[in-house]
Amino acid sequence: MSGIYIHIPFCKQACHYCDFHFSTSLKKKEPVLKALKKELILRKDELGGATIETIYFGGGTPSLLTTDEILDLVGTVQVNYTVIEDPEITLEANPDDLSLERIKTLAGSPVNRLSIGVQSFFEKDLKLMNRAHNAQEAKQVLDWATQYFKNISIDLIYGIPGLTDQEWQENIRIALASGVPHISSYALTVEPKTALANFVAKGIVPEVDDEQAQRQFLQLVQELESKDFINYEISNFGKAGYFSKNNTAYWLGKSYLGIGPSAHSFNGTHRGWNVRNNQTYVKAIEANELPIEIEELSVKDRYNEYIMTGLRTVWGISLERIANEFGHNYAKYAKMQAQKYVAEHLLFLEDNIFRATRKGKFLVDGIASDLFMVKL
């Protein structure tokens, strides 16, 4: 089973924290959409006939597309690939794009999962991040969406400068009250060359407080787990039966095809990424060329990738799998490197599988890097 990710590189406006590839001009939307369809066709044999079980529209802001434009892309996948009968089709959407009529139209389409970029229910946070919607719109959209979609995820951000623990608790409360079965939540990070990085450098916005972020993350884990959400990946919480199939495939190392400018692909042994420029992307596709760089992954690379993704999940990293796929020396190395984190109660070993403790989850990226194989 494989998945297809389609990157829609357009946004109404730039969020201050975002470093994803997008354009705020829609002038090139039509040629980009034509190129997306053509790339799907050009690469139809790349997955070796693997069955597609997920189609994910990410961005950017995919909800800027009309429903017909989305259906056109889904149809191109269905014609050129082997797709399971009821694939998970996710559309990332912003609240300001989701009128009641739009939600009804989407509910009657093949799209069966919405990922709604709420981020916060407080106006001051939305303004700091330069979001295009307001808090009332977010609440209204969730009320409408839950009437027509069963499978909904919302995004929330913690660690925002000025976000108190009490306000964060209220964000969690409102999210839970909406009845959505999946919540993705991320710490605000200051990425280089973003507006937020510039504001922090100039002292306009305070620096992100790591202690605040860790505290609010633990607050989130405790509250959601008490309401039957499973923290199946560090940033993702789902009720049983509502884990993101698209994201789960990524964390479990399944192959996926990334379509569109800046999109990444993976087939188990090679990783590829498309050029981060809309015009260059379109010109290449029009010339029947793939504007993609490909990296062949060594055994060491694949081991490190497994550590990085696996340790973030509820499934952890299996010493048996490491030994079978990468060799016994890798398994011995992973076990040796993990011991100090077990002693510090940041990892635990059960059934020959290392998993992060609740205390260790927030620190798991740093822990994983210490388990990476640097030399052979």
Side-chain angles (χ1 to χ4, degrees), residues 237-256:
F237 302 78
K239 291 200 168 181
Y242 287 97
F243 295 1
S244 167
K245 292 179 182 177
N246 175 83
N247 294 349
T248 298
Y250 163 70
W251 295 313
L252 294 181
K254 294 185 180 181
S255 61
Y256 57 89

Side-chain angles (χ1 to χ4, degrees), residues 122-137:
F122 288 91
E123 295 297 338
K124 65 182 180 69
D125 300 333
L126 297 174
K127 289 177 180 176
L128 183 149
M129 293 183 285
N130 200 38
R131 297 292 293 172
H133 70 277
N134 60 48
Q136 184 53 42
E137 282 179 311

Side-chain angles (χ1 to χ4, degrees), residues 70-192:
I70 294 166
L71 293 179
D72 198 20
L73 289 165
V74 172
T76 303
V77 173
Q78 291 172 330
V79 167
N80 291 281
Y81 297 80
T82 303
V83 184
I84 64 171
E85 185 174 340
D86 187 24
E88 177 188 87
I89 303 180
T90 300
L91 178 75
E92 289 185 355
N94 282 346
D96 44 296
D97 294 325
L98 294 177
S99 65
L100 178 57
E101 287 307 310
R102 183 74 195 282
I103 290 170
K104 288 180 178 179
T105 302
L106 286 170
S109 79
V111 173
N112 51 27
R113 185 174 184 270
L114 293 179
S115 177
I116 304 175
V118 171
Q119 315 309 358
S120 176
F121 293 102
F122 288 91
E123 295 297 338
K124 65 182 180 69
D125 300 333
L126 297 174
K127 289 177 180 176
L128 183 149
M129 293 183 285
N130 200 38
R131 297 292 293 172
H133 70 277
N134 60 48
Q136 184 53 42
E137 282 179 311
K139 294 173 185 176
Q140 180 63 77
V141 160
L142 288 179
D143 182 51
W144 288 334
T146 50
Q147 294 177 45
Y148 293 92
F149 281 85
K150 289 183 179 180
N151 201 350
I152 298 174
S153 177
I154 64 172
D155 287 351
L156 293 175
I157 294 179
Y158 56 89
I160 302 168
L163 177 68
T164 67
D165 292 352
Q166 291 72 28
E167 289 169 337
W168 179 234
Q169 185 69 34
E170 181 65 4
N171 271 334
I172 299 170
R173 186 196 68 77
I174 296 171
L176 288 170
S178 74
V180 297
H182 190 282
I183 295 172
S184 296
S185 192
Y186 309 90
L188 183 68
T189 54
V190 181
E191 300 291 350

Side-chain angles (χ1 to χ4, degrees), residues 158-161 165 187-190 206-218 362-363:
Y158 56 89
I160 302 168
D165 292 352
L188 183 68
T189 54
V190 181
E207 291 189 13
V208 171
D209 183 339
D210 288 341
E211 289 186 7
Q212 172 200 347
Q214 183 171 13
R215 192 171 62 247
Q216 291 177 352
F217 171 74
L218 293 173
F362 187 77
L363 306 171

